[in-house]
Amino acid sequence: DTEVTQTPKHLVMGMTNKKSLKCEQHMGHRAMYWYKQKAKKPPELMFVYSYEKLSINESVPSRFSPECPNSSLLNLHLHALQPEDSALYLCASSQPRESYEQYFGPGTRLTVT
Amino acid sequence: GQQVMQIPQYQHVQEGEDFTTYCNSSTTLSNIQWYKQRPGGHPVFLIQLVKSGEVKKQKRLTFQFGEAKKNSSLHITATQTTDVGTYFCAGHNDMRFGAGTRLTVKP
């Protein structure tokens, strides 16, 4: 199984809502990532978890809160977002070693109203 | 920090023409990866280059890593409409993606 799944596919939320994005992989990968991608832009790294521990936080605002409950699951909790946070949120996984390839999920298209 | 510059931003070709995209880093890269993202899709891993001067081929795609490990290129021979998409390089040092080259192919 070389698939990374993400739910939901689409999400519309108000600025006062609390929602969560979910990501799952069963490839035995021990590194998982959240990226944000705006239209016609490259994916922008947000967080990296390695062996279920947060290893990289790219100065992401606290209204985004990641969580890695176990080696297969990655969540992104959203609270008090702004309209400019509307984007495609991509999850990826890989082996946390020097040479690796990232497998991306299909993404969650988030719209903040 | 590391910056990976990628050119051109856009490339429109006639089917059958060749295509090349280039990535340049301000610092030496431990390795570089290439991804393809189809319109409406997600990035898909193509290849990873690790060694100085490395050249790898995948059918019509040729990937090169510079001797100084600061630049890389992806060349597609005789493009097809299935090659349409955005091609990104990503330096492994900090998983920072280049801006991408959007390829369109006219049948």
Side-chain angles (χ1 to χ4, degrees), chain B residues 75-88:
Chain B
H75 180 82
I76 302 178
T77 303
T79 55
Q80 301 175 358
T81 54
T82 53
D83 296 324
V84 165
T86 301
Y87 293 84
F88 295 102

Side-chain angles (χ1 to χ4, degrees), chain A residues 2-110:
Chain A
T2 59
E3 188 179 10
V4 176
T5 58
Q6 288 187 245
T7 55
K9 290 185 178 180
H10 301 275
L11 178 62
V12 179
M13 61 185 291
M15 289 188 284
T16 58
N17 291 160
K18 286 186 180 181
K19 296 287 184 183
S20 296
L21 309 184
K22 297 185 183 301
C23 174
E24 190 168 4
Q25 58 88 14
H26 294 288
M27 294 177 278
H29 290 168
R30 302 305 298 274
M32 296 186 76
Y33 313 79
W34 280 115
Y35 287 87
K36 173 183 178 181
Q37 187 176 29
K38 301 281 268 185
K40 301 184 180 181
K41 295 293 184 182
E44 184 180 329
L45 185 66
M46 299 174 72
F47 303 103
V48 181
Y49 274 84
S50 181
Y51 295 98
E52 295 88 69
K53 293 190 188 315
L54 183 64
S55 61
I56 295 177
N57 176 342
E58 290 286 326
S59 302
V60 179
S62 59
R63 58 186 183 268
F64 295 91
S65 175
E67 178 195 19
C68 190
N70 59 56
S71 60
S72 300
L73 294 173
L74 185 66
N75 299 322
L76 186 63
H77 302 297
L78 315 172
H79 174 56
L81 295 193
Q82 303 297 309
E84 59 265 29
D85 296 321
S86 298
L88 179 68
Y89 287 84
L90 293 161
C91 171
S93 71
S94 76
Q95 290 295 1
R97 59 175 185 264
E98 178 64 21
S99 299
Y100 67 95
E101 60 186 81
Q102 292 189 58
Y103 289 84
F104 281 82
T108 293
R109 178 74 59 186
L110 174 67

Side-chain angles (χ1 to χ4, degrees), chain B residues 33-106:
Chain B
Q33 299 176 356
W34 286 91
Y35 292 82
K36 176 184 178 181
Q37 186 171 20
R38 294 180 184 274
H42 56 276
V44 175
F45 176 83
L46 293 177
I47 208 154
Q48 178 171 266
L49 304 172
V50 179
K51 299 177 183 177
S52 170
E54 190 169 18
V55 179
K56 287 188 176 180
K57 293 189 176 185
Q58 289 180 351
K59 297 182 180 179
R60 295 178 293 106
L61 277 62
T62 301
F63 303 84
Q64 295 190 7
F65 202 11
E67 293 291 339
K69 300 182 71 172
K70 286 187 175 182
N71 57 68
S72 181
S73 65
L74 158 59
H75 180 82
I76 302 178
T77 303
T79 55
Q80 301 175 358
T81 54
T82 53
D83 296 324
V84 165
T86 301
Y87 293 84
F88 295 102
C89 61
H92 172 55
N93 293 29
D94 63 359
M95 289 162 283
R96 198 175 298 272
F97 279 70
T101 297
R102 179 171 296 185
L103 173 66
T104 55
V105 180
K106 185 176 181 181

